[in-house]
Amino acid sequence: MQASTEAAPTSKKMIWTGRIMSGLVILFLIFDGVTKLIKIDPVVEAFAQLGYPDSLALPIGIIVLACAALYANPQTAILGAILLTGLLGGAIASHVRVGDPIFTHVLFGAYLGVLAWGGLYLRDEKLRALLSLRH
């Protein structure tokens, strides 16, 4: 009997777990982007604490929502995840720069990134094949 080189079929449980993880990321990004667009008080305070002018809230909010839209669309999800990774890296750097607490503020972007990539990995068979360690 010859070993098959095809990827194992994706289980429904795996796909739904990935969709739920991705859905949580998308909901957070929509919430975050909208709060930046309407510049609620906590956003203005956070921008001041991080040393950014609140005039940047609108363009950053648009970028966050664009990343969410790209990530939510199956055809552009990988591009969305890549752009989201860059956005989260900037957020991590900003929190490191001002000396925010590690586990709650600095690493929050990493937590969100792991959730985003983990969800995408579970729901996208082609990504799993690309990142597979087995030949």
Side-chain angles (χ1 to χ4, degrees):
M1 190 163 155
Q2 190 174 9
S4 173
T5 59
E6 292 181 24
T10 306
S11 72
K12 287 184 179 183
K13 185 177 180 182
M14 182 185 287
I15 291 173
W16 277 102
T17 301
R19 286 177 180 167
I20 290 168
M21 291 168 67
S22 295
L24 291 171
V25 171
I26 293 164
L27 287 174
F28 174 79
L29 292 173
I30 291 170
F31 171 79
D32 186 51
V34 169
T35 60
K36 284 174 176 48
L37 293 182
I38 60 176
K39 288 182 17 177
I40 62 173
D41 288 338
V43 168
V44 173
E45 292 167 10
F47 269 61
Q49 188 235 349
L50 292 171
Y52 295 119
D54 64 355
S55 62
L56 290 178
L58 178 65
I60 292 174
I62 292 169
I63 291 168
V64 170
L65 292 173
C67 287
L70 288 169
Y71 181 73
N73 182 345
Q75 287 80 20
T76 59
I78 292 176
L79 174 61
I82 292 168
L83 295 174
L84 178 59
T85 301
L87 179 77
L88 295 173
I92 290 169
S94 294
H95 287 289
V96 167
R97 186 179 58 80
V98 299
D100 278 337
I102 298 284
F103 294 106
T104 57
H105 291 66
V106 173
L107 291 179
F108 183 79
Y111 304 147
L112 194 61
V114 167
L115 194 61
W117 279 102
L120 188 55
Y121 182 85
L122 291 176
R123 66 185 171 99
D124 190 319
E125 188 174 339
K126 290 179 184 177
L127 181 62
R128 280 195 311 281
L130 180 67
L131 298 178
S132 175
L133 297 177
R134 290 189 268 163
H135 296 286

